[in-house]
Amino acid sequence: MLVFQTKNELKSYLNSIKSDAKKVGMVPTMGALHQGHASLVARAISENEITVVSIFVNPTQFNNQEDLLKYPQTFEKDSELLELLSKDIIIFAPSVGEMYSTEVTSKKYDFQGLDKVMEGAFREGHFDGVGTIVESLLLTVAPDKAYFGEKDFQQLQIIKKLVALQNIPVEIIGCPILREPNGLAMSSRNERLNRELRREAGFIYETLKTISTKFADQSIESIMEWATAQFQAHPQLRLEYLQISDEETLNPIGSKKENKKYRAFIAVFADGVRLIDNIALN
Ligand code: PAF
């Protein structure tokens, strides 16, 4: 597998192998890869002749320094997982200096409100950080398609908005959430949960599934009350937010309308580890 650390070396290598007949797929990651990432990479491999996986822990999207410091860096293990998928994967693993030169700061974007709710409301500046790095990675690699997981559904919608706003010619593809056997959405953060909490965290998806059943015939207000009470009664999980939103605008809804798609979004703390998840409701 080839590993590049600088934008220029990666660009000139890609220019030397790209052609109209060879499509490039990209999977941007922050490393600590798990089977959820593997599913994105497998899809990129199946739909493109060239697959680039970036591994970069992006400091500007962390609003909490402790979270950044604790973020697992497992490059050797990540390369082994990728190698099992294909020896032809190209890894881009730049340093912070390479991506940001002297100023480690974000650009400011107008994501037209998509960044004002949920993750954006609880993690100030997070989506400007995501936008800054994803824009830079997409401009460096110039892929035909880029793959992102639906676990970060808000991020996915914001990246779609980003490429439209910045006129970046790439197709953004959302891929389904992969789950552990108890339903917990796969995430690099799950590694920080002890065995008991990892088991208990299956409660998050159980609750989301019940919300989706209730959505058919109960009011938003009663669903919210029920779900909030479930978490209040749970000794180990603390609800940060639960929101039922229009999938397109991400704004919370008070009632349902015809021809709209809705999703429930949740963020929960399990002993200081922040877990997010979501489920389509119709
Ligand atoms: O989803 C992630 O892992 C990150 O937010 C991303 C898209 C790689 C940007 O750093």
Side-chain angles (χ1 to χ4, degrees):
M1 263 183 333
L2 284 171
V3 181
F4 292 91
Q5 279 159 344
T6 68
K7 294 192 243 184
N8 282 344
E9 279 167 339
L10 175 65
K11 272 192 208 169
S12 60
Y13 177 71
L14 287 173
N15 285 338
S16 73
I17 60 166
K18 266 183 192 173
S19 69
D20 282 351
K22 284 190 181 168
K23 298 285 172 223
V24 180
M26 173 168 202
V27 183
T29 81
M30 297 207 297
L33 303 182
H34 49 70
Q35 288 310 311
H37 294 110
S39 72
L40 304 185
V41 178
R43 175 137 178 219
I45 292 171
S46 75
E47 295 181 357
N48 302 277
E49 286 70 34
I50 300 166
T51 297
V52 181
V53 177
S54 62
I55 298 181
F56 178 67
V57 181
N58 173 33
T60 63
Q61 70 186 75
F62 287 82
N63 58 319
N64 176 336
Q65 280 311 296
E66 199 189 324
D67 208 17
L68 172 60
L69 292 173
K70 282 191 181 159
Y71 205 86
Q73 305 241 22
T74 54
F75 186 79
E76 290 306 313
K77 239 175 107 197
D78 294 345
S79 322
E80 281 165 23
L81 182 146
L82 292 174
E83 190 143 22
L84 288 177
L85 294 169
S86 162
K87 294 200 183 338
D88 295 332
I89 291 168
I90 298 165
I91 299 180
F92 180 44
S95 64
V96 173
E98 176 66 16
M99 293 314 285
Y100 284 97
S101 51
T102 49
E103 271 200 38
V104 188
T105 51
S106 307
K107 285 172 70 170
K108 298 278 170 262
Y109 297 92
D110 177 4
F111 291 123
Q112 298 167 5
L114 291 175
D115 57 334
K116 299 291 179 250
V117 290
M118 303 187 289
E119 294 304 285
F122 283 90
R123 302 177 67 187
E124 215 196 317
H126 170 67
F127 286 118
D128 281 333
V130 171
T132 304
I133 198 64
V134 171
E135 180 176 0
S136 173
L137 289 168
L138 292 176
L139 294 178
T140 303
V141 175
D144 297 281
K145 295 180 180 176
Y147 300 81
F148 297 87
E150 285 186 348
K151 182 176 80 68
D152 298 295
F153 193 86
Q154 185 175 14
Q155 167 174 281
L156 173 66
Q157 298 297 62
I158 285 177
I159 290 170
K160 286 182 180 164
K161 179 67 73 189
L162 171 80
V163 302
L165 288 173
Q166 307 300 99
N167 283 315
I168 305 174
V170 58
E171 188 182 345
I172 300 298
I173 305 205
C175 303
I177 302 173
L178 253 72
R179 299 186 177 279
E180 299 194 2
N182 68 349
L184 175 63
M186 285 189 183
S187 162
S188 309
R189 288 165 198 255
N190 295 356
E191 295 302 318
R192 287 168 51 195
L193 300 172
N194 65 30
R195 192 183 296 198
E196 188 198 343
L197 270 182
R198 204 156 168 159
R199 196 183 54 236
E200 285 300 319
F203 183 81
I204 300 170
Y205 185 53
E206 284 308 311
T207 310
L208 286 177
K209 280 195 298 185
T210 310
I211 291 175
S212 102
T213 312
K214 287 178 179 287
F215 189 75
D217 58 7
Q218 294 190 18
S219 71
I220 307 297
E221 199 183 339
S222 74
I223 297 173
M224 295 292 287
E225 259 174 37
W226 171 82
T228 307
Q230 297 305 298
F231 280 96
Q232 272 164 356
H234 198 291
Q236 283 139 312
L237 303 176
R238 180 172 68 77
L239 184 64
E240 184 173 54
Y241 67 74
L242 169 67
Q243 192 174 302
I244 295 180
S245 305
D246 179 317
E247 223 179 74
E248 230 176 82
T249 64
L250 301 179
N251 285 329
I253 58 157
S255 60
K256 301 171 234 175
K257 291 200 178 67
E258 293 264 312
N259 302 324
K260 288 269 177 199
K261 282 181 143 187
Y262 298 112
R263 222 167 243 269
F265 295 87
I266 197 164
V268 170
F269 278 100
D271 194 22
V273 182
R274 194 166 178 280
L275 303 168
I276 62 169
D277 201 348
N278 66 81
I279 194 167
L281 298 176
N282 60 344

